Amino acid sequence: MKIRCMAIDDEPLALQQIAAYIGKVDYLELVATCQSAVEARRVLEEDTVDAVFCDINMPDLNGMDFVKSLVVPPMVVFTTAYAEYAVEGFKVNAVDYLLKPFGLQDFQRAALRLKERSVLTASSAPPLPTSSERGGDDDYLFLKTEYRIVKVSIADIRYVEAMSEYLKVYVEGEVKPIITLLSMKRIEERLPDNFMRIHRSYIVNLKKIQEVNKNRVIMDNDTYLPIGDMYKETFQAFLDKKYLGR
């Protein structure tokens, strides 16, 4: 399995170099290149990555603060021309630190460390089941949250909320949501047909909806979720199938 990577650097030539190096390592896959942490955050709202090669000195939001802001950060290799950042980098559990200018050999060393960390993590993290493995209402998923792997019954999921680079999964009977590093696209693909995306930021369990009021669904007395314009037609088709009345 390949390690999905993102490269972040405000210098175009440096970004191009990292992208080229990623292409030379057969177990790495380049998902996106970004010239700012702000741009990287937008990518993470729609997709997930396993690792980032991140410059530290960037305008608006530096790489160190960007990584610290992530609730569930991916593996990180910092790249910078300033050696004094090395100690701080390892304080945020960086896998490696590449001091510019670095060559392919240095990059391959960092890539190998990513691979070793990935293997260690994967050995304790059961994968999400495929569609062929899903059956009745007692099916479940394993979700990674912080340093734990939790088992979640699909039937108990009320709704899913996208928040920047992570998801909040709201489960029946739980006061707090499960926060996990996962894209809306990936979890949407793994959930059964009774789940529907009604907004850019929300997927709901249709069986848990209590009421539909204008452009929102009501899950309970305190939870009102908006229906996005691009999802209205699909949701209306669902209502038409279930609606009884004149």
Side-chain angles (χ1 to χ4, degrees), residues 12 16 18-19 24 48 74 81 86 89 109 141 150 153 161-163 171 183 187-188 204 213 222-223 232 238 246:
Q16 184 178 353
I18 295 173
K24 293 179 182 294
T48 59
R109 181 200 71 226
L141 300 175
V150 296
S153 170
E161 179 182 7
M163 296 290 290
V171 179
S183 69
I187 199 168
E188 188 176 16
V204 299
N213 189 331
D222 300 315
T223 307
K232 285 181 180 178
F238 159 73
R246 295 181 179 180

Side-chain angles (χ1 to χ4, degrees), residues 199-212:
H199 187 276
R200 185 172 182 269
S201 299
Y202 294 104
I203 296 173
V204 299
N205 185 341
L206 298 171
K207 295 181 179 180
K208 303 292 185 180
I209 294 175
Q210 292 186 2
E211 186 178 332
V212 180

Side-chain angles (χ1 to χ4, degrees), residues 9 25 43 49 158 216 232 246:
D9 201 305
V25 180
V43 172
V49 298
R158 299 176 61 238
R216 62 185 183 178
K232 285 181 180 178
R246 295 181 179 180

Side-chain angles (χ1 to χ4, degrees), residues 2-16:
K2 291 195 174 185
I3 299 172
R4 292 165 52 81
C5 302
M6 175 191 294
I8 312 170
D9 201 305
D10 64 318
E11 299 177 8
L13 291 179
L15 194 60
Q16 184 178 353

Side-chain angles (χ1 to χ4, degrees), residues 67-246:
V67 171
K68 289 179 180 179
S69 74
L70 302 178
V71 175
V72 188
M75 297 181 291
V76 179
V77 175
F78 283 116
T79 62
T80 184
Y82 301 92
E84 59 266 28
Y85 285 115
V87 173
E88 188 177 357
F90 286 112
K91 284 182 179 178
V92 296
N93 200 29
V95 175
D96 207 347
Y97 181 96
L98 290 171
L99 186 62
K100 298 178 180 179
F102 54 86
L104 179 59
Q105 187 173 355
D106 294 322
F107 182 87
Q108 289 174 327
R109 181 200 71 226
L112 183 59
R113 290 183 177 178
L114 284 176
K115 183 178 181 180
E116 292 170 347
R117 178 76 66 87
S118 180
V119 169
L120 182 63
T121 302
S123 66
S124 62
L128 292 173
T130 63
S131 58
S132 62
E133 295 171 328
R134 294 198 300 266
D137 289 341
D138 61 342
D139 280 354
Y140 55 87
L141 300 175
F142 280 103
L143 298 176
K144 183 177 181 181
T145 176
E146 295 178 340
Y147 299 101
R148 300 179 298 126
I149 307 296
V150 296
K151 181 180 178 180
V152 181
S153 170
I154 292 177
D156 289 338
I157 297 175
R158 299 176 61 238
Y159 65 97
V160 179
E161 179 182 7
M163 296 290 290
S164 188
E165 78 287 345
Y166 59 94
L167 299 180
K168 290 183 176 181
V169 181
Y170 292 82
V171 179
E172 199 77 46
E174 298 292 336
V175 177
K176 295 182 179 180
I178 297 168
I179 299 175
T180 185
L181 179 65
L182 200 64
S183 69
M184 288 288 273
K185 180 181 178 181
R186 187 167 183 223
I187 199 168
E188 188 176 16
E189 290 172 346
R190 302 303 178 109
L191 292 172
D193 293 341
N194 60 292
F195 285 83
M196 180 180 292
R197 191 164 184 174
I198 62 167
H199 187 276
R200 185 172 182 269
S201 299
Y202 294 104
I203 296 173
V204 299
N205 185 341
L206 298 171
K207 295 181 179 180
K208 303 292 185 180
I209 294 175
Q210 292 186 2
E211 186 178 332
V212 180
N213 189 331
K214 297 182 179 179
N215 292 325
R216 62 185 183 178
V217 298
I218 300 173
M219 307 301 291
D220 55 47
N221 292 335
D222 300 315
T223 307
Y224 300 75
L225 306 180
I227 302 171
D229 289 341
M230 66 182 296
Y231 303 95
K232 285 181 180 178
E233 185 177 345
T234 303
F235 186 73
Q236 186 61 51
F238 159 73
L239 286 181
D240 291 344
K241 290 181 179 180
K242 297 294 183 178
Y243 180 72
L244 293 179
R246 295 181 179 180

